[in-house]
Amino acid sequence: MEFSKKLSQQEEHNDGSNLDLRSIVDKYLGYWKWFLLAITLSLLNTFWNLNFSRDIYEAEASIKIKDEGGADKSTLSVFQDLGMMGNSHDNIEDEIEILTSKSLVSKAIEALKFNVQFFTNKNSISKFVDDHLGFSTEFYENERYTNPPLKINFFIPDSVLYTYGSTFYIHVDSESKFTYSNADHTINKQYAFGEKLKTSFSDIIITPSVDLKSAGLIGESILVKITSIQGMTNVYVNNLTVEPISKYSNVLSLKATDTDKRKAEDFLNELVRQYNKRAVALKEELSSNTAKFVNDRLIAISEELTEIDLSAESLKKKYQLSDQASETGINMQASQELDRQKAIADAQLQKIRYMKEYVKSADNTTSIPGNILTQDNSLNEAISKYTEIQQERTRLLNLKAKEKNPAIVRLDEALKDIKDNIQLGLENLEESQQITLNSLNRQAGKINYKLNSTPTQEREYRDISRQQKIKEDLFLYLLQKREETGITLGVVDPNAIIIDPAMSGSSPTGPNRFMSYISAIILGLVVPFAILYVRDLLDTKIHTRQEVEKILNIPIIGDIPKLETKGRYLITESDNSGIAESFRILRTNLNFVLDSKIQGKTIFITSTIAHEGKSMVASNLATSLAHAGKKTLLLGMDIRAPKIEAYLDVRGEKGVTNFIINPSITVESITNPVPSNKNLFVISSGDLAPNPSELLMHPRVKELFQKVKEEYDYIIVDTAAFSMVTDTLLLSSYANSFIYIVRTNFLDKRMLQYVKSIYDDRRIPNMSILINGIDSKQGYGYGYGYGTAFEKSKRKAWWKFKKA
């Protein structure tokens, strides 16, 4: 039929669309009040937070890290003579870690005394809320860092004060008196400036540091906030950024944020100063350790050299030897050259052994000098790292840390590992040097064999001379290094060169009020949307006609609006409500579904499950057809749970079941006219039967349908739910059309697949869908309920208030 084809084409078009954007927008626009409420609350929350937030300023400085790094080149150049150390270049990432370390940041905070803050000028909103609404926000906008109004003397050591956190208020009553209040205002007591007062953590004396009258502070309150150094350090570490200006650059950019421009600048400048101070201290300690080691060795070698000189003097006196060489020749020259090389090799070996013994006997408190030996890169880095960790261990011990403190234990383990690496490097170098010396000894042995004729006294003197030469060379070498170390101690320079001192912009970098309000609006949209979206994901019910159209490719013959009142509803002939209009449209649409030439048009009303409105639809559709002058029969074939009698208030003594069971009963005897409608008749389902399915297969059922088809224009059949029993399927052959009811907000979406299978398998004839319970607020229903002009005039706009 033409109407059915048009409906099918429309359904196919809708089914081919993956996403109906307009329907989604319309669905969420139905909840516009919730979106408006969420946006309003979000904007109010943002307004509140912004008014209780201080402006943030960013300061920036730039420094260059020197190439020599944490240890001075001249100090460690001693080790380069034996090839154990090369040039040292700082790892920029390591320096960044040092600059952002909590230990360095805490030193800067302690030096600047950031832990004590003064705030004035209470926020107007905070003042209103606190004074009139009973809250206690106590928000003061301005920090008085550059020119603090008060000076506080604490009667506890700084090391103890640095661990405390407290807040109190000072109300300036006059130039000589003030009122002290604790954080919760449970203590309010007046004192004179300079008078000692007791607090929860210390006795203090408060004196003004500015002219209170000219500063306009008389009658005002000052918030004093004391923060622990640890808490303050965590804040500044999080607000500190250190990064190189380019990938391979030694120039670092330092950025810090604070509520006061000058405070952020002072912090960065002090941080760089503390960094340089630390680097200088490390270099000075390394140079001092080296100087001490050199002096100790000079004393020992001086004593050994004196003994050798005395031995040489005694030998010369004993054998009356001159200072000139006793022999010449090629062998002697070769012997002398070998002796010289052996002396150098032996001196180097002894220096290595001295260093090895010193490292072996050193404990975690003994510094390892870095200016005696070796040119090995790894030993250079190991000794520098050893000294740095040893300094950190000493600092922790000075802070009263115990030997068993986990941090001390970890540092001891690191010192042991580095010390083992140094010892291993020295052993390897000693082994290499010993091999060189052994080779020289073998060569000297050959020369000495050729000189076997040399007098014994000459050989003895040569041995003493060799020892003397070794000691002299080592003595002169250490004298030279002592002078170099002394020079180094006098010219130790910092590790960082300041390129640009800290500077901050004139405008605050945060909070960004515009973006905050934009974010608040977005949040106000996202939160209700997310809630509705999640609700829709969890909701498996059918709600709209579009949802049915997307799943089913079945003609939709109409939709019935949701009943606004509880109870059974039956339309009347003068009824102009939306529901009455929907049944009139349904009545009209039946003309396009059914062939006009059919005598006794039989329409079955069914649904997937019970309580979807079959009996209500059947009763009202039959009534609507009767109002149109059609002789209509409402036939109750739901013999398991009959309900149509309650709608029409017509109850016959006998019904369908009685007709089937008793052959003597005629159709006329079970047919009951409806008093209020001359064209409407009802045949009720009759008595409840124990075997409904078998009963509906009886030949008398066919006889019933044949007779009523001859008598009536329309037969509306109320049947049982399709998925629950087989009753409706047994009767389907008598139907000219099936109206399959889908109730919104009730039927599960997954059940529509069952409906689809019924249609695809053609299990029932001429099937069409009727959607029941459509929400008229969503705009569906083809404009039902136009009503009369009088009814329209009685309606009021939602935004108009009733008159008192």
Side-chain angles (χ1 to χ4, degrees):
M1 297 182 181
E2 184 179 356
F3 177 77
S4 178
K5 289 180 180 179
K6 289 182 179 179
L7 287 176
S8 297
Q9 292 174 357
Q10 180 185 358
E11 296 297 331
E12 288 174 1
H13 174 73
N14 291 335
D15 190 57
S17 177
N18 294 326
L19 180 64
D20 189 348
L21 183 61
R22 178 61 183 272
S23 64
I24 294 176
V25 173
D26 289 343
K27 179 176 70 172
Y28 286 104
L29 282 178
Y31 301 97
W32 66 269
K33 293 181 181 179
W34 291 106
F35 282 97
L36 180 61
L37 177 62
I39 292 173
T40 302
L41 294 177
S42 181
L43 288 173
L44 288 175
N45 179 68
T46 302
F47 174 78
W48 177 272
N49 291 333
L50 289 175
N51 279 275
F52 286 88
S53 300
R54 299 182 179 93
D55 288 340
I56 302 296
Y57 295 88
E58 182 180 73
E60 182 175 4
S62 59
I63 61 174
K64 181 180 180 181
I65 305 298
K66 292 184 179 178
D67 289 341
E68 60 264 30
D72 186 71
K73 277 185 172 181
S74 60
T75 304
L76 294 178
S77 62
V78 179
F79 294 89
Q80 297 177 357
D81 294 341
L82 296 178
M84 294 176 62
M85 289 189 178
N87 293 328
S88 173
H89 295 277
D90 268 356
N91 188 326
I92 291 298
E93 292 183 357
D94 291 343
E95 299 307 312
I96 291 176
E97 288 298 322
I98 294 173
L99 281 166
T100 57
S101 64
K102 290 185 178 181
S103 60
L104 196 67
V105 171
S106 64
K107 287 181 181 178
I109 292 173
E110 290 175 10
L112 295 169
K113 300 187 180 300
F114 279 180
N115 59 313
V116 180
Q117 299 170 277
F118 302 94
F119 296 92
T120 59
N121 299 335
K122 190 173 183 180
N123 181 287
S124 58
I125 294 180
S126 174
K127 187 174 182 179
F128 175 81
V129 170
D130 294 350
D131 294 346
H132 297 87
L133 302 182
F135 289 91
S136 181
T137 58
E138 298 292 352
F139 180 74
Y140 292 78
E141 289 185 316
N142 299 329
E143 180 180 358
R144 299 291 290 268
Y145 168 74
T146 305
N147 193 19
L150 303 174
K151 180 181 180 181
I152 303 177
N153 296 317
F154 298 91
F155 287 82
I156 55 174
D158 287 345
S159 59
V160 178
L161 177 64
Y162 291 159
T163 62
Y164 276 101
S166 181
T167 300
F168 56 88
Y169 302 92
I170 300 298
H171 186 272
V172 182
D173 300 324
S174 65
E175 293 184 3
S176 60
K177 293 188 177 295
F178 66 91
T179 300
Y180 166 84
S181 301
N182 60 353
D184 54 4
H185 295 282
T186 55
I187 299 176
N188 297 281
K189 190 173 181 181
Q190 191 178 61
Y191 294 89
F193 284 111
E195 181 182 354
K196 183 189 287 187
L197 63 94
K198 291 184 177 295
T199 66
S200 59
F201 61 92
S202 169
D203 292 346
I204 60 174
I205 291 179
I206 300 177
T207 56
S209 58
V210 298
D211 187 342
L212 298 175
K213 186 175 182 181
S214 60
L217 293 175
I218 296 179
E220 299 295 327
S221 292
I222 301 172
L223 167 64
V224 182
K225 185 176 181 181
I226 301 173
T227 309
S228 67
I229 292 296
Q230 181 179 359
M232 188 71 71
T233 299
N234 292 332
V235 172
Y236 274 86
V237 167
N238 292 332
N239 295 336
L240 176 64
T241 303
V242 180
E243 56 188 8
I245 61 173
S246 61
K247 187 174 182 180
Y248 299 106
S249 176
N250 284 353
V251 178
L252 298 180
S253 172
L254 289 73
K255 296 179 182 179
T257 57
D258 205 293
T259 56
D260 187 278
K261 293 189 290 185
R262 176 70 178 276
K263 193 174 181 182
E265 295 171 359
D266 288 352
F267 170 72
L268 286 182
N269 291 331
E270 183 63 27
L271 183 70
V272 174
R273 194 183 75 82
Q274 290 292 335
Y275 171 75
N276 282 331
K277 182 179 177 182
R278 172 190 174 279
V280 169
L282 178 62
K283 295 176 183 179
E284 289 179 344
E285 183 175 355
L286 185 59
S287 298
S288 298
N289 293 335
T290 303
K292 182 177 180 300
F293 176 81
V294 170
N295 288 331
D296 291 342
R297 295 314 304 160
L298 279 173
I299 294 172
I301 292 173
S302 179
E303 294 174 354
E304 295 174 1
L305 188 57
T306 300
E307 293 177 0
I308 294 173
D309 288 342
L310 292 174
S311 298
E313 183 181 354
S314 300
L315 187 62
K316 286 183 178 183
K317 289 179 179 180
K318 180 180 177 180
Y319 296 110
Q320 298 181 352
L321 297 175
S322 65
D323 292 335
Q324 302 296 324
S326 60
E327 293 183 7
T328 58
I330 298 176
N331 289 335
M332 182 58 68
Q333 291 177 2
S335 176
Q336 288 176 353
E337 178 63 20
L338 286 173
D339 288 344
R340 188 186 68 80
Q341 294 181 11
K342 285 171 60 179
I344 295 173
D346 197 20
Q348 292 173 341
L349 184 60
Q350 289 214 27
K351 284 187 282 185
I352 294 170
R353 286 174 177 169
Y354 288 148
M355 189 67 178
K356 179 181 174 184
E357 290 298 322
Y358 185 87
V359 172
K360 183 177 181 181
S361 61
D363 57 17
N364 289 344
T365 61
T366 304
S367 299
I368 297 176
N371 193 24
I372 295 299
L373 211 46
T374 162
Q375 296 177 349
D376 192 309
N377 292 337
S378 60
L379 281 177
N380 183 12
E381 295 173 358
I383 292 172
S384 297
K385 188 65 176 180
Y386 185 92
T387 303
E388 184 177 346
I389 295 177
Q390 197 175 58
Q391 278 189 325
E392 181 64 14
R393 183 181 186 274
T394 303
R395 187 184 69 80
L396 292 177
L397 289 174
N398 291 338
L399 294 177
K400 309 302 182 183
K402 303 297 183 181
E403 289 289 342
K404 294 183 179 180
N405 187 288
I408 298 295
V409 172
R410 287 193 298 270
L411 291 177
D412 287 343
E413 292 175 354
L415 287 173
K416 182 179 180 302
D417 292 338
I418 296 172
K419 182 179 174 183
D420 291 341
N421 291 335
I422 295 172
Q423 190 75 11
L424 181 60
L426 291 171
E427 288 175 358
N428 293 336
L429 191 60
E430 180 187 14
E431 182 179 356
S432 174
Q433 197 64 36
Q434 184 65 55
I435 293 173
T436 302
L437 186 59
N438 291 341
S439 176
L440 293 172
N441 285 332
R442 285 193 297 272
Q443 296 178 42
K446 295 178 181 180
I447 298 298
N448 288 334
Y449 178 77
K450 296 178 181 180
L451 296 174
N452 54 11
S453 59
T454 304
T456 302
Q457 56 270 34
E458 189 69 25
R459 288 198 302 271
E460 291 179 5
Y461 181 75
R462 189 167 57 250
D463 290 340
I464 293 175
S465 298
R466 182 169 56 249
Q467 295 180 27
Q468 191 179 36
K469 179 65 176 175
I470 292 172
K471 298 300 180 181
E472 286 178 351
D473 289 345
L474 186 56
F475 186 79
L476 293 173
Y477 176 80
L478 291 175
L479 281 176
Q480 177 187 352
K481 293 307 172 185
R482 183 174 65 178
E483 291 302 317
E484 292 177 359
T485 302
I487 294 173
T488 301
L489 282 170
V491 295
V492 172
D493 55 349
N495 200 33
I497 301 173
I498 298 176
I499 299 176
D500 290 320
M503 295 184 63
S504 57
S506 58
S507 302
T509 58
N512 190 327
R513 286 172 166 76
F514 176 75
M515 289 305 301
S516 297
Y517 284 117
I518 292 297
S519 300
I521 294 173
I522 293 174
L523 182 64
L525 292 172
V526 168
V527 170
F529 175 81
I531 295 173
L532 294 172
Y533 181 76
V534 172
R535 187 201 67 174
D536 291 343
L537 286 180
L538 300 177
D539 185 11
T540 60
K541 304 296 184 183
I542 292 292
H543 295 285
T544 65
R545 174 174 179 150
Q546 280 76 0
E547 292 175 348
V548 178
E549 292 174 340
K550 287 179 181 179
I551 299 174
L552 300 180
N553 190 25
I554 305 174
I556 297 178
I557 196 170
D559 43 24
I560 307 299
K562 180 181 177 181
L563 287 174
E564 298 297 336
T565 59
K566 293 184 179 180
R568 295 179 175 86
Y569 178 85
L570 187 67
I571 63 174
T572 61
E573 193 168 5
S574 60
D575 192 349
N576 292 315
S577 66
I579 294 180
E581 290 296 334
S582 68
F583 279 105
R584 293 184 183 110
I585 292 175
L586 175 60
R587 178 185 68 192
T588 303
N589 289 341
L590 284 175
N591 296 327
F592 299 96
V593 174
L594 297 172
D595 190 347
S596 59
K597 298 180 181 180
I598 297 176
Q599 173 65 30
K601 301 175 181 64
T602 306
I603 303 167
F604 278 37
I605 311 295
T606 188
S607 64
T608 305
I609 57 177
H611 307 294
E612 291 197 67
K614 300 186 309 300
S615 300
M616 186 274 290
V617 170
S619 301
N620 283 278
L621 177 58
T623 302
S624 179
L625 289 168
H627 288 161
K630 305 295 183 181
K631 188 177 182 181
T632 307
L633 173 66
L634 179 58
L635 180 58
M637 295 301 292
D638 187 358
I639 60 177
R640 297 176 185 266
K643 292 181 181 179
I644 59 173
E645 295 91 343
Y647 281 93
L648 297 171
D649 199 22
V650 175
R651 294 183 180 273
E653 295 182 359
K654 294 179 175 58
V656 173
T657 55
N658 305 99
F659 175 81
I660 296 172
I661 296 171
N662 190 350
S664 62
I665 297 177
T666 63
V667 174
E668 290 75 11
S669 63
I670 60 174
T671 302
N672 302 288
V674 176
S676 60
N677 195 328
K678 63 179 181 178
N679 293 321
L680 182 59
F681 301 85
V682 178
I683 297 180
S684 62
S685 57
D687 299 333
L688 296 178
N691 54 343
S693 298
E694 289 76 9
L695 199 63
L696 293 176
M697 297 173 66
H698 198 279
R700 290 271 288 176
V701 174
K702 183 177 181 180
E703 179 184 344
L704 172 63
F705 276 99
Q706 287 177 344
K707 289 187 177 180
V708 297
K709 281 176 177 287
E710 296 173 355
E711 183 70 21
Y712 298 95
D713 297 326
Y714 286 91
I715 300 98
I716 307 301
V717 183
D718 180 28
T719 63
F722 206 89
S723 66
M724 303 180 69
V725 292
T726 61
D727 299 5
T728 304
L729 190 59
L730 295 174
L731 299 172
S732 61
S733 60
Y734 304 113
N736 297 124
S737 177
F738 261 87
I739 295 178
Y740 202 106
I741 298 175
V742 174
R743 182 179 175 183
T744 60
N745 303 310
F746 184 78
L747 184 65
D748 195 299
K749 293 179 182 178
R750 292 166 291 186
M751 294 299 294
L752 292 182
Q753 295 298 329
Y754 175 75
V755 179
K756 187 174 184 299
S757 66
I758 295 174
Y759 181 79
D760 292 342
D761 297 340
R762 301 186 180 276
R763 299 172 65 183
I764 54 179
N766 202 9
M767 176 179 171
S768 57
I769 298 294
L770 177 66
I771 302 176
N772 184 27
I774 288 290
D775 189 353
S776 59
K777 294 180 181 179
Q778 295 180 346
Y780 301 118
Y782 305 105
Y784 297 149
Y786 288 101
T788 63
F790 174 75
E791 288 173 334
K792 290 183 181 180
S793 66
K794 299 287 287 182
R795 297 173 185 168
K796 289 182 178 289
W798 64 273
W799 46 269
K800 289 184 178 179
F801 295 98
K802 293 181 179 179
K803 295 182 180 180

